[in-house]
């Protein structure tokens, strides 16, 4: 079996994986792989924006909003760390060339989403994720110490007898070849779990691979039942990924209506509360959707065209004119707050294994993520993981292990046995 050696292996090329790669010292050779194309990550899909601490006067308000949305199950130190590093993160993105909407005075413009006590979200029209992640991707493609390999799936993680991670077995999806990538440090950035749900805003290829592999090797994970449903995705009977109608549409004044055309919930309550209210309304009416009226957005057609051109276009393609009538919406799976247990530097329970972005659970989101905290969290803690890796500096030369096909087969057999034993045990 072919073997490759790297200082760092990063599994996943969304905002977290790329930002981790970009913050590694250039002397470190990193291999960044992803299951689909390089642009097939949920980071590209994020519409609403990215939160930032506007001024010191908002530190307590931002903290409180994040904690309240998370039902106070968040780790307060992790939340404080994210907020404290938010401003420099936005400034760094701007230095990468990322463009955010500006107000008349040339300063950053801020929008609002559910559960935010004030507007503190910077945005690029309704495609903030694409604007940010495409710049990170371009920067990564220019770096000579980073090798980016799309269409490559993690088959399993490799561990030494002492529990330290050694890298991963990977499959080239196009040729079918399985090969071993050994690394001084391995970073799980495989995204969320939406592909496991019938209705989700996520790419279908996102099936919780990082969490699954970690769990299979006894690496601790937390809150696997903390799954967020976004209240408003465009209703359709077609199969496949659900199209998000950004919460910032409601932040700017769009209203949820029942079958009688009446409002039934405060649209800016936390996501889990609004989702529950919509479900209750659907149950009462025996309906499979409710309506969202975008005609009440402040600034009317002008705002819709300026701030939400992608949403207007997509609705038109699906046969809905947002300027003349409400559109049908329904909640769908959107985000995973649980994941591989990690600390403020992305370290997991296994030496030399890190987890960042939606794959990890560092406690920042609690039970329910506050809108537009996901990109920020992914960028900050991925950068911190890179700093930690650079500090530890376990390079590829460190790898003494050399798996033969026989040893690998033994590993796979042991894993199968263990799964069998655990299933048997659970069945009792
Ligand atoms: C949205 O635009 O509603 C999604 C943003 C997020 O998930 O935070």
């Amino acid at each position: 079996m072919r073997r490759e050696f790297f200082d760092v292996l990063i599994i996943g090329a969304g905002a977290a994986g790329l930002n981790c790669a970009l913050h590694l010292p250039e002397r470190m050779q990193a291999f960044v792989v992803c299951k689909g194309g390089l642009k097939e990550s949920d980071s590209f899909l994020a519409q609403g924006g990215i939160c930032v601490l506007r001024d010191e006067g908002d530190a307590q308000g931002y903290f409180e909003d994040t904690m309240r949305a998370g039902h106070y199950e968040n780790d307060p130190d992790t939340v404080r760390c994210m907020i404290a590093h938010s401003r420099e993160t936005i400034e760094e993105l701007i230095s990468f060339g990322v463009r955010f909407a500006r107000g008349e005075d040339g300063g950053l413009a801020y929008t609002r989403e559910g559960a935010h006590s004030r507007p503190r979200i910077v945005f690029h029209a309704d495609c903030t994720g694409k604007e940010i992640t495409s710049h990170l991707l371009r920067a990564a493609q220019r770096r000579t110490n980073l090798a980016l390999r799309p269409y490559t799936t993690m088959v399993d993680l490799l561990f030494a007898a002492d529990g330290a991670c050694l890298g991963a077995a990977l499959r080239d999806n196009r040729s079918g070849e399985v090969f071993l990538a050994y690394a001084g440090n391995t970073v799980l950035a495989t995204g969320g779990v939406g592909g496991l749900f019938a209705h989700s805003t996520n790419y279908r290829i996102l099936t919780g691979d990082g969490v699954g592999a970690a769990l299979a090797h006894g690496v601790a994970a937390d809150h696997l039942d903390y799954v967020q449903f976004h209240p408003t995705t465009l209703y359709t009977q077609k199969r496949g990924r659900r199209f998000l109608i950004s919460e910032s549409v409601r932040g700017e004044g769009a209203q949820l209506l029942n079958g009688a055309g009446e409002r039934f919930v405060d649209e800016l309550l936390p996501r889990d509360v609004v989702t529950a209210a919509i479900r209750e309304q659907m149950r009462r009416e025996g309906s499979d959707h409710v309506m969202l009226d975008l005609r009440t957005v402040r600034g009317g057609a002008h705002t819709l065209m300026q701030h939400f051109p992608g949403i207007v276009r997509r609705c038109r393609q699906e046969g809905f004119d947002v300027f003349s009538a409400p559109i049908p919406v329904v909640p769908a799976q959107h985000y995973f707050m649980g994941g591989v247990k990690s600390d403020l530097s992305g370290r997991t329970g296994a030496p030399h294994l890190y987890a960042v972005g939606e794959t990890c659970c560092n406690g920042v989101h609690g039970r329910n993520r506050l809108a537009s905290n996901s990109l920020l969290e992914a960028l900050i803690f991925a950068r911190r993981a890179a700093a930690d890796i650079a500090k530890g500096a376990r390079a590829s030369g460190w790898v003494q292990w050399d798996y033969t096909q026989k040893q690998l087969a033994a590993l796979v057999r042991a894993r199968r046995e263990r799964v069998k034993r655990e299933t048997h045990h659970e069945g009792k």
Side-chain angles (χ1 to χ4, degrees):
M1 192 174 296
R2 184 160 62 86
R3 289 180 287 267
E4 297 192 33
F5 298 87
F6 303 93
D7 297 316
V8 185
L9 168 65
I10 299 176
I11 307 168
L18 290 172
N19 211 40
C20 181
L22 284 166
H23 285 86
L24 291 170
E26 301 213 13
R27 66 183 154 80
M28 294 188 113
Q29 297 297 319
F31 190 37
V32 184
V33 301
C34 61
K35 204 171 177 184
L38 288 171
K39 296 184 178 170
E40 252 174 292
S41 71
D42 274 8
S43 306
F44 266 89
L45 301 178
Q47 292 181 356
I50 175 167
C51 293
V52 65
L53 178 64
R54 285 177 66 164
D55 48 65
E56 284 309 316
D58 189 34
Q60 189 54 31
Y62 184 5
F63 176 78
E64 188 55 28
D65 289 351
T66 301
M67 298 293 289
R68 195 179 328 107
H71 297 263
Y72 297 94
E73 290 190 32
N74 325 48
D75 181 317
D77 289 339
T78 318
V79 176
R80 281 195 197 94
C81 175
M82 177 184 73
I83 293 173
H85 289 100
S86 63
R87 195 83 212 176
E88 73 201 35
T89 303
I90 300 305
E91 277 158 15
E92 183 176 61
L93 289 174
I94 293 170
S95 78
F96 280 149
V98 173
R99 297 157 299 166
F100 291 111
R102 299 277 169 175
E104 278 167 13
D105 61 356
L108 289 168
Y110 299 93
T111 188
R112 186 171 173 191
E113 296 186 44
H116 284 272
S117 53
R118 69 182 282 198
R120 60 169 76 89
I121 299 167
V122 292
F123 59 98
H124 178 92
D126 54 4
C127 54
T128 313
K130 182 175 172 198
E131 175 70 11
I132 292 174
T133 319
S134 58
H135 277 85
L136 296 179
L137 180 58
R138 273 200 291 278
Q141 284 168 327
R142 281 196 295 268
R143 290 275 293 267
T144 52
N145 66 320
L146 305 179
L148 274 64
R149 185 89 52 90
Y151 305 108
T152 303
T153 300
M154 173 180 53
V155 177
D156 203 356
L157 290 168
L158 306 174
F159 287 91
D162 66 357
C165 188
L166 300 176
L170 303 172
R171 186 181 62 240
D172 180 326
N173 297 347
R174 291 181 278 205
S175 68
E177 182 199 10
V178 175
F179 62 102
L180 304 182
Y182 289 102
N185 289 285
T186 300
V187 182
L188 294 171
T190 57
V193 299
L196 303 173
F197 287 76
H199 304 293
S200 171
T201 59
N202 295 184
Y203 275 112
R204 306 303 299 161
I205 52 172
L206 299 177
T207 49
D209 299 3
V211 183
L215 280 175
H217 288 281
V219 181
D222 248 354
H223 300 311
L224 298 181
D225 54 336
Y226 285 7
V227 174
Q228 181 172 78
F229 287 76
H230 195 288
T232 53
T233 69
L234 189 61
Y235 172 78
T236 174
Q237 289 187 332
K238 290 183 198 156
R239 293 175 72 84
R241 184 160 64 77
R242 293 292 176 260
F243 181 73
L244 190 71
I245 306 294
S246 176
E247 192 159 342
S248 47
V249 170
R250 280 177 279 127
E252 296 296 333
Q255 294 181 348
L256 282 163
L257 306 175
N258 62 17
E262 294 157 351
R263 286 177 78 185
F264 57 92
V265 65
D266 172 353
E267 290 83 359
L268 291 181
L269 287 172
R271 278 185 188 166
D272 52 348
V273 181
V274 177
T275 294
I278 293 175
R279 285 204 173 126
E280 174 57 17
Q281 195 62 43
M282 285 162 51
R283 191 192 60 75
R284 278 196 211 158
E285 293 178 4
S287 167
D288 48 10
H289 63 271
V290 294
M291 304 303 286
L292 182 67
D293 197 343
L294 277 68
R295 295 172 301 178
T296 47
V297 162
R298 289 178 287 281
H302 177 75
T303 306
L304 288 174
M305 291 308 296
Q306 290 300 311
H307 192 156
F308 305 111
I311 291 174
V312 169
R313 193 167 50 244
R314 177 61 181 264
C315 287
R316 191 175 296 135
Q317 285 163 1
E318 299 290 332
F320 303 108
D321 177 10
V322 300
F323 302 106
S324 60
I327 58 171
V329 291
V330 64
Q333 192 280 342
H334 182 59
Y335 190 82
F336 183 43
M337 280 79 56
V340 181
K341 197 170 160 55
S342 62
D343 68 8
L344 268 83
S345 294
R347 283 184 293 228
T348 70
H352 303 286
L353 180 66
Y354 291 76
V356 294
E358 203 171 340
T359 306
C360 80
C361 179
N362 55 23
V364 79
H365 303 308
R367 182 189 282 270
N368 175 59
R369 174 172 64 80
L370 181 69
S372 286
N373 264 349
S374 55
L375 284 169
L376 184 64
E377 179 270 328
L379 295 171
I380 289 175
F381 294 101
R383 189 178 69 203
R384 291 175 64 90
D388 199 71
I389 290 169
K391 220 166 46 194
R394 186 169 82 154
S396 62
W398 164 92
V399 176
Q400 302 296 319
W401 293 270
D402 202 0
Y403 279 87
T404 61
Q405 295 232 20
K406 225 160 132 197
Q407 283 169 313
L408 188 69
L411 266 181
V412 172
R413 246 195 335 270
R415 177 173 164 189
R416 265 202 216 116
E417 283 304 313
R418 182 169 157 177
V419 170
K420 220 180 340 182
R421 262 199 323 275
E422 281 168 5
T423 318
H424 182 67
H425 182 71
E426 273 169 17
K428 280 188 175 173

